[in-house]
Amino acid sequence: MTSSQEPKPQSDPAHFFSTDIRVGRVMSVEPFPEARRPAFKLRVDFGPSVGELSTSAQVTDYPADELKDRLVVGAVNLGRKRIAGFASDFLLLGSYDKDGRVLLLAPDAGASPGDVVG
């Protein structure tokens, strides 16, 4: 994810629609001191069909206790990536503000872990 404000080039809609984006609930938040930039290790429950997945996220502007139990949005079928020896299973989705801070995307209160975002 980059903080550039310039639009990206046009893309084939099939690429977007092949991405499995789901609602999840943050189950645990741990420090990640091995990461190059300040980050947390998150464990997120994406419901019964996907299960719990882990990721590394540069969301340290949020206190860990505010992240725990929060509903988030993640892309869950992009493959596993190794980050400083840690296996990241999904991409947590957010936007960047004008200062480059990550602002997490959040579903409305009625959403549940596993709900498909489309």
Side-chain angles (χ1 to χ4, degrees), residues 7-75:
K8 294 180 181 178
Q10 292 293 311
S11 177
D12 182 338
H15 293 164
F16 176 80
F17 291 113
S18 69
T19 304
D20 190 356
I21 302 173
R22 301 213 181 211
V23 173
R25 183 176 306 282
V26 178
M27 304 305 291
S28 67
V29 182
E30 298 177 24
F32 191 12
E34 302 85 3
R36 277 187 258 164
R37 295 184 193 167
F40 287 127
K41 294 178 185 176
L42 303 178
R43 186 101 181 134
V44 176
D45 177 13
F46 286 101
S49 64
V50 175
E52 289 189 17
L53 300 175
S54 297
T55 195
S56 165
Q58 297 172 5
V59 292
T60 55
D61 287 326
Y62 292 90
D65 62 335
E66 285 183 22
L67 290 170
K68 176 105 171 51
D69 296 320
R70 178 189 174 118
L71 288 177
V72 294
V73 177

Side-chain angles (χ1 to χ4, degrees), residues 65-116:
D65 62 335
E66 285 183 22
L67 290 170
K68 176 105 171 51
D69 296 320
R70 178 189 174 118
L71 288 177
V72 294
V73 177
V76 300
N77 68 334
L78 300 177
R80 179 172 277 183
K81 183 176 179 184
R82 304 274 317 159
I83 301 171
F86 176 73
S88 183
D89 300 317
F90 75 97
L91 177 64
L92 186 65
L93 298 179
S95 64
Y96 288 100
D97 70 8
K98 62 181 174 54
D99 297 320
R101 290 180 303 214
V102 175
L103 303 173
L104 292 173
L105 297 185
D108 282 345
S112 299
D115 287 353
V116 174

